[in-house]
Amino acid sequence: ARQWREHGVEPDFALSKGELGTLPDRYPGAEIVQVDDDRGQELAARLAGRKFMTPAEFMESLGYPQTYSQVTAPRMVDLCREALLELLNLPLDQAVAMLSTPGRQVAVAGNGGSAAIASHFAADLRRVGVRAWCLTDSPAMLTGLADDVGYPHALAEQLRVLNGGDVFVAISASGNSSNLVHAARVAQERGAFVLAITGFGGGLLKRESTYCLALSSTDYEVVEGVHDCLCHILKSLLREGRRGQSPQL
């Protein structure tokens, strides 16, 4: 209902997806249109006898303008604003303590866009004196292990060098990447701390981590963008801590 109001539409009522089957009883004989940004819902809608349209298709059918600047950009800005405000309330002291203790190795990893964030974060950590590296920075290592042991184990195998008290930073928008979950388990078996940086409320990584910094957003682009901001904030806190006394864990 909130999303419709953002577009100037006042709904009569709101239902969850699980309750959509009650609509034919409410409106016998009426054409029911399911508007959803998840194309995976299209088949379910059609099987249930509902017409399916994306938000863009629906708004266009009503004659609303669909330019990026008029619709998409403001919506993305609002989503990013919400996630950034949530970021302000995340307790970062324990994460800083994990990363700042002298002598620790810090391994960082992610997939896709999160791999790029992980590489950037590892480089920034090294610039503030942390012994960090990114598990996906070497194509030869990653593809070799993927070929030998399978991609789900290619990160975990690299963590066999961790010692007790070292840190594994797992960055995942969904928190459900199987290779990161497996790597987190191996890191803990080695006695290392696991810092998970996720969206989607935490996902499976939340249960496999020593500490989890989770955003509630389920928009991949928003989560990845704010994760980049979070990593810069952590680097800045570590840099400032080097000038004073950082907490240690």
Side-chain angles (χ1 to χ4, degrees):
R2 177 178 60 82
Q3 290 175 323
W4 284 112
R5 292 189 183 101
E6 288 174 355
H7 290 285
V9 179
E10 183 62 36
D12 291 333
F13 59 91
L15 292 175
S16 67
K17 289 179 181 178
E19 298 173 308
L20 294 180
T22 65
L23 287 174
D25 294 330
R26 287 175 180 256
Y27 301 98
E31 180 184 46
I32 298 171
V33 181
Q34 180 175 343
V35 181
D36 202 315
D37 58 5
D38 182 1
R39 277 291 186 181
Q41 284 287 319
E42 183 173 6
L43 178 59
R46 299 198 187 283
L47 288 174
R50 298 188 291 270
K51 184 177 180 179
F52 181 91
M53 301 177 78
T54 65
E57 291 167 343
F58 179 73
M59 298 297 282
E60 185 176 6
S61 73
L62 299 178
Y64 284 83
Q66 285 302 301
T67 64
Y68 175 84
S69 61
Q70 290 172 307
V71 178
T72 305
R75 174 180 173 273
M76 290 298 291
V77 168
D78 285 341
L79 291 175
C80 289
R81 183 184 295 112
E82 291 176 6
L84 286 168
L85 288 174
E86 185 177 23
L87 180 59
L88 288 175
N89 295 318
L90 288 180
L92 302 181
D93 287 350
Q94 189 168 358
V96 172
M98 282 185 185
L99 299 170
S100 63
T101 300
R104 283 183 173 164
Q105 300 182 92
V106 177
V108 192
N111 296 294
S114 295
I117 296 171
S119 181
H120 188 173
F121 189 38
D124 278 349
L125 288 176
R126 289 195 296 274
R127 292 180 66 181
V128 294
V130 178
R131 296 170 57 201
W133 81 100
C134 178
L135 301 182
T136 55
D137 272 357
S138 170
M141 175 69 78
L142 186 62
T143 57
L145 286 172
D147 187 48
D148 291 342
V149 300
Y151 190 69
H153 303 277
L155 300 179
E157 284 299 307
Q158 298 181 62
L159 297 181
R160 303 292 178 185
V161 299
L162 292 185
N163 300 310
D166 288 338
V167 180
F168 171 51
V169 181
I171 304 176
S172 170
S174 69
N176 293 321
S177 298
S178 60
N179 59 342
L180 289 171
V181 172
H182 184 62
R185 291 169 180 163
V186 169
Q188 290 191 320
E189 289 172 3
R190 300 288 302 172
F193 296 105
V194 176
L195 171 61
I197 298 177
T198 72
F200 289 62
L204 296 174
L205 272 173
K206 186 174 184 178
R207 297 200 298 265
E208 302 295 337
S209 63
T210 311
Y211 192 57
C212 181
L213 296 173
L215 300 170
S216 61
S217 174
T218 57
D219 186 296
Y220 282 92
E221 289 84 358
V222 170
V223 171
E224 288 181 358
V226 176
H227 277 176
D228 215 1
C229 293
L230 172 57
C231 289
H232 280 295
I233 291 171
L234 289 172
K235 179 197 71 174
S236 296
L237 291 173
L238 286 163
R239 183 178 57 216
E240 292 301 317
R242 297 267 170 190
R243 299 172 183 171
Q245 181 64 40
S246 297
Q248 297 182 6
L249 178 69

